[in-house]
Amino acid sequence: MMTEHTVKAFDEDITRLRGLIAEMGGLAEVAIGEAMEALIKGADSVAAQVVARDKQIDALEQEVDRLAIRIIALRAPMADDLREVIAALKIAGIIERIGDYAKNIAKRTGKIEGRARFEPLTLIPAMADIASEMVHDVLTAYAARDPAMAVAVVERDAQVDAFYDSIFRNLVSFMVENPSTITTAAQLLFVARNLERIGDHATNVAEMVYFAATGDYLTDRADRPVT
Amino acid sequence: MLLALAMASVMLFAGVGALWALAVLVVWCYSLWVGGRRVETGAPSPPFTPPRRDPGDAREAIAECIEQISLPLLLMDARRIIAANAGARAALGNHILGQDARISLRHPEAVRLLDLPDGTAVSIAGLSGPGRLWQLTKHRIDPSLWLIELLDRTGEVDMGRAHTDFVANASHELRTPLSAIIGYGETLVDDMGAENMGAEDIGAHYTGTMDAGTRARFLGVILREARRMQSLVADLMSLSQLEAEKHDTPTAPLDLGQVAARVVGEFAGNGPMRVTLERDDKKREPVFVDDPTKRHHAPARGDAPLSVAGDAAQLEQLLRNLIDNALKYADPEAAVTISLSADDRGMAVLSVADQGPGIAPEHIPLLTRRFYRTDPGRSRAAGGTGLGLAIVKHIVERHRGRLDIASQLGVGTTVTVRLPLLVPLPDPAT
């Protein structure tokens, strides 16, 4: 726990800010889970719900923005308090993007044809599991202010990337063998891409969590070759 | 306090339900605290000032009570989490103590529960990670204190899903050998014209045109496919067994070194020195299991037991599957090395390395999927069911371990399994 401030209202502001981030994160986690469920089962109503709920995430992001600006303006935070506010501001932006990717996955639900017999569809959930686990863990690291947990999330991103490469190749060879399914398979390429981006964004959140907790920057990962 | 515990357990056994027993327990604790305070203020003994009590004491008493209960429980005031027992901390993390509940719970449905009337229960998917299902119930125990009960229902959901997966996979993979068996069987029967004949007539009145060689070949196919089905059924059974016990971590301590020596011993008979086991601790001194004279000459540290909590039969199966794979897909002459060690993070490390052709990187993330084959023709020809690594992965997961597959084309593949050690190894210096 952080030490308390003399001005109690400041603590309340910070708690409220963290609460908003947690709420956004919770919504984003649910969005990823439901978007994948919709995609796999072809549940259009669930997909519609994900799209509708994304507005809440957007609204929360604006609320974080306003509150962060108000805290900076009124309380002039210093040191770890300033890092806390800046990190919250950036994290809110990233979670909003994660929500968008989930929404994008949900929107592709109606475009998958012949779901029951479409074999590549079974490759995606395992990748989604790793990506959403990263999002879950990084939000827990944020709530716990745990830099070690944040580093563990960054390390896991390589797994998502490896999965993406693997699924990419699998889908391409599937398309070569089954040209009639190219439209559907191409949709899945985008889904895999979105999941890969979600993994990257979880990493970005982890970097901010690390920064807020320690004041240091996580060194940049070596750029991996593009598929 | 004892009376409260006794009463709670009696109620539990009487089948009144865990919830009621819990409520009684908490109320007892609370009343004990109130009662205790009255006694102290009623009869103050002059030399000692009675300890000052504040409302925090009641909360501490309740926190102590719930700590002993295996069901995850949270104690909350209007906003913050005041206490969380061991189960709840394991599910949500140690940081939740004293934290704003909205930050700790995060899930929109869970946050919504905080504003719902007392006694409400909600089911929440993904509270402690993707794929986990929890049921949260809110109980009020005081005007400003609430108890949140967390019930893990992941197992129930998994059972349902595992069942559908099983049916989908099994039907496809079993149908292939079955259609071969039926096809060849029909051909043989047609050739004999034997469909409407009694068994004793066939030998005497054989009218078919098929030569003995072809017949033998067809029968060979039938036998091979039937054997394949047999191993497939065996693998499917162990997989669904594993899925059923997924959330039930083994507790019996065993020495991984002994398990490995036993399994390696089974393979040692197959050929000279192909499968070897070594203790890869500080001193690298291989122990050749199929050479009885060297068996007991490992260095002292190499003999230290690698104690893990595990299911012996499953760990044997894990190692057998890995060695099987290494032998099956690698060069028939090349050696397979099994090494055992402990890392500095308190994990036992078991690895199986072959000098085979290696696996292309794009296949590696998908290797543990059921029926995933990098080269379907070759795998089937070698008698693989496509389930070996899926079983390995399930066993590792059940043991709370980690599975890593590293491979380089043309060099070989190393599969590494890490399992949490029960007892850290003695320092090599001592």
Side-chain angles (χ1 to χ4, degrees):
Chain A
M1 273 221 92
M2 283 179 121
T3 45
E4 284 187 21
H5 293 89
T6 325
V7 185
K8 205 149 185 268
F10 184 48
D11 282 329
E12 278 164 20
D13 279 350
I14 294 277
T15 306
R16 189 146 163 268
L17 190 66
R18 291 174 64 79
L20 288 172
I21 297 282
E23 198 177 340
M24 282 185 81
L27 283 167
E29 272 183 71
V30 172
I32 301 171
E34 289 187 346
M36 285 308 299
E37 186 195 330
L39 185 83
I40 302 299
K41 295 187 184 155
D44 291 325
S45 60
V46 179
Q49 192 181 316
V50 174
V51 175
R53 206 165 328 100
D54 190 56
K55 292 201 178 64
Q56 280 183 46
I57 301 186
D58 295 352
L60 279 167
E61 191 206 358
Q62 285 186 7
E63 213 178 319
V64 170
D65 271 13
R66 274 198 295 271
L67 182 58
I69 290 170
R70 211 174 64 113
I71 293 176
I72 295 173
L74 293 183
R75 319 255 179 229
M78 308 265 281
D80 55 349
D81 296 328
L82 181 61
R83 292 205 302 274
E84 182 80 51
V85 177
I86 296 292
L89 204 56
K90 285 194 164 187
I91 291 173
I94 305 170
I95 296 177
E96 192 270 333
R97 296 290 303 151
I98 293 178
D100 283 349
Y101 287 120
K103 182 172 79 176
N104 191 281
I105 293 173
K107 278 181 175 172
R108 296 180 194 276
T109 296
K111 297 181 179 161
I112 309 286
E113 289 161 6
R115 198 171 256 102
R117 281 168 289 106
F118 192 57
E119 195 237 311
L121 200 56
T122 61
L123 300 174
I124 306 280
M127 180 177 180
D129 282 351
I130 303 186
S132 48
E133 211 174 82
M134 282 175 73
V135 173
H136 180 86
D137 287 357
V138 82
L139 291 168
T140 306
Y142 176 74
R145 294 191 170 96
D146 183 344
M149 200 166 173
V151 173
V153 171
V154 174
E155 283 167 0
R156 224 176 312 158
D157 191 40
Q159 275 184 45
V160 176
D161 290 352
F163 240 113
Y164 177 61
D165 290 349
S166 173
I167 286 175
F168 186 88
R169 280 163 210 255
N170 264 283
L171 279 170
V172 169
S173 53
F174 189 82
M175 286 193 260
V176 172
E177 286 160 23
N178 310 279
S180 62
T181 64
I182 283 184
T183 333
T184 304
Q187 296 293 338
L188 286 193
L189 275 182
F190 283 111
V191 171
R193 176 76 186 156
N194 285 336
L195 290 172
E196 192 261 339
R197 295 299 298 152
I198 288 175
D200 284 348
H201 280 313
T203 312
N204 293 339
V205 176
E207 282 163 5
M208 289 323 295
V209 170
Y210 188 89
F211 169 71
T214 65
D216 291 327
Y217 291 97
L218 265 178
T219 42
D220 269 344
R221 295 156 295 150
D223 280 333
R224 272 178 291 276
V226 181
T227 320
Chain B
M1 179 74 84
L2 274 174
L3 199 58
L5 272 170
M7 181 148 176
S9 47
V10 165
M11 289 185 75
L12 248 176
F13 282 118
V16 184
L19 224 64
W20 274 106
L22 191 68
V24 167
L25 188 60
V26 170
V27 168
W28 260 96
C29 290
Y30 191 67
S31 66
L32 270 177
W33 165 70
V34 172
R37 185 171 62 170
R38 257 190 228 123
V39 170
E40 275 165 38
T41 46
S45 47
F48 305 104
T49 30
R52 231 194 56 183
R53 296 269 190 173
D54 60 53
D57 287 358
R59 298 176 174 192
E60 269 170 36
I62 298 174
E64 272 172 42
C65 269
I66 62 173
E67 180 66 26
Q68 307 303 324
I69 296 167
S70 56
L71 186 73
L73 291 167
L74 297 174
L75 184 68
M76 291 190 51
D77 65 12
R79 281 182 41 231
R80 286 179 319 119
I81 293 176
I82 303 166
N85 69 358
R89 292 197 304 273
L92 299 171
N94 283 324
H95 62 275
I96 59 172
L97 275 178
Q99 209 174 37
D100 190 292
R102 284 207 307 171
I103 300 177
S104 327
L105 295 175
R106 190 160 76 224
H107 194 290
E109 284 297 304
V111 172
R112 198 171 60 91
L113 174 76
L114 303 179
D115 299 323
L116 290 176
D118 305 317
T120 324
V122 288
S123 283
I124 294 165
L127 183 70
S128 67
R132 320 265 328 165
L133 183 75
W134 289 88
Q135 182 181 318
L136 266 61
T137 317
K138 178 181 171 189
H139 307 279
R140 187 183 203 134
I141 53 175
D142 180 277
S144 63
L145 277 181
W146 287 266
L147 198 63
I148 311 272
E149 172 207 44
L150 297 93
L151 197 63
D152 190 350
R153 298 190 43 214
T154 314
E156 297 162 38
V157 185
D158 269 7
M159 287 294 270
R161 202 171 47 206
H163 184 73
T164 41
D165 277 4
F166 178 86
V167 173
N169 289 329
S171 65
H172 172 73
E173 291 287 326
L174 289 172
R175 229 176 264 151
T176 322
L178 256 184
S179 48
I181 293 172
I182 292 172
Y184 284 100
E186 271 174 0
T187 314
L188 286 168
V189 168
D190 282 351
D191 176 60
M192 290 181 156
E195 203 145 14
N196 304 312
M197 230 183 258
E200 61 277 9
D201 299 334
I202 294 175
H205 306 282
Y206 177 63
T207 53
T209 54
M210 201 182 277
D211 64 83
T214 317
R215 256 206 323 275
R217 198 162 55 79
F218 281 16
L219 287 168
V221 171
I222 291 178
L223 188 62
R224 198 181 65 228
E225 292 297 314
R227 287 222 172 98
R228 201 155 79 80
M229 256 181 87
Q230 190 183 30
S231 51
L232 197 58
V233 169
D235 276 0
L236 282 169
M237 296 301 278
S238 40
L239 206 53
S240 60
Q241 169 78 20
L242 274 166
E243 236 149 31
E245 328 172 309
K246 189 155 109 189
H247 303 290
D248 156 32
T249 315
T251 49
L254 55 85
D255 176 13
L256 201 57
Q258 281 180 16
V259 172
R262 224 167 21 235
V263 178
V264 173
E266 288 170 22
F267 282 92
N270 289 353
M273 309 293 266
R274 266 206 74 190
V275 182
T276 54
L277 172 70
E278 60 185 42
R279 274 300 290 261
D280 195 10
D281 289 322
K282 292 295 165 200
K283 295 176 208 161
R284 280 183 81 98
E285 201 161 310
V287 185
F288 294 109
V289 194
D290 45 359
D291 181 352
T293 57
K294 284 192 185 171
R295 192 177 292 166
H296 300 294
H297 289 271
R301 183 177 153 86
D303 273 347
L306 289 167
S307 182
V308 298
D311 178 320
Q314 287 184 0
L315 290 178
E316 279 175 25
Q317 185 181 16
L318 172 149
L319 192 54
R320 214 174 285 131
N321 283 1
L322 291 179
I323 298 178
D324 240 5
N325 277 348
L327 291 173
K328 206 182 293 168
Y329 299 110
D331 185 350
E333 295 304 311
V336 174
T337 314
I338 293 95
S339 64
L340 272 176
S341 61
D343 66 9
D344 44 13
R345 283 188 237 176
M347 301 287 257
V349 184
L350 168 72
S351 67
V352 177
D354 67 38
Q355 299 167 19
I359 304 161
E362 70 261 28
H363 291 303
I364 289 178
L366 302 175
L367 286 176
T368 55
R369 291 173 51 81
R370 294 163 182 202
F371 305 117
Y372 184 85
R373 293 176 170 102
T374 57
D375 180 351
R378 187 163 173 205
S379 158
R380 291 218 173 85
T385 58
L387 290 171
L389 277 177
I391 291 175
V392 168
K393 183 177 166 231
H394 271 85
I395 295 177
V396 173
E397 275 174 3
R398 188 178 167 224
H399 286 80
R400 302 285 179 270
R402 279 187 48 200
L403 174 70
D404 288 301
I405 303 175
S407 186
Q408 212 176 334
L409 283 174
V411 178
T413 305
T414 305
V415 182
T416 308
V417 175
R418 286 189 175 79
L419 300 173
L421 274 173
L422 282 179
V423 191
L425 276 200
D427 197 291
T430 56

